[in-house]
Amino acid sequence: LLGALIAGIGAAVQAIRRTQGDDRRARSALLAITVALAVIGLFDHYPYTLLHLQLAWWSCLAATFSPEMRALTPPH
């Protein structure tokens, strides 16, 4: 679990550095959600034991370093 989180956060930080504008803000928000769920996991078991929180946690991390962010940002 720790290895996957460390590798995912490292990839997310690299993806944030590569992008600019709205994509950068969206990636940063998704990474913040991932870190918040990890911090909640330090005090409570829900992010580890409940399926929907596991899905939210890993989905936010995967979407943070996904190659295309246009589906997550509203059109101008």
Side-chain angles (χ1 to χ4, degrees):
L1 177 69
L2 281 176
L5 281 175
I6 290 169
I9 290 173
V13 169
Q14 289 177 359
I16 290 169
R17 288 182 180 166
R18 283 193 312 261
T19 58
Q20 296 177 354
D22 289 338
D23 285 350
R24 188 174 196 150
R25 285 188 287 274
R27 289 179 194 272
S28 298
L30 288 169
L31 183 60
I33 292 169
T34 302
V35 171
L37 285 171
V39 170
I40 290 170
L42 293 174
F43 301 105
D44 204 355
H45 65 90
Y46 291 128
Y48 303 112
T49 57
L50 296 179
L51 183 61
H52 63 280
L53 283 174
Q54 291 175 11
L55 181 65
W57 191 10
W58 292 110
S59 297
C60 286
L61 185 59
T64 303
F65 60 87
S66 66
E68 190 70 33
M69 290 293 289
R70 292 183 190 189
L72 298 175
T73 56
H76 292 90

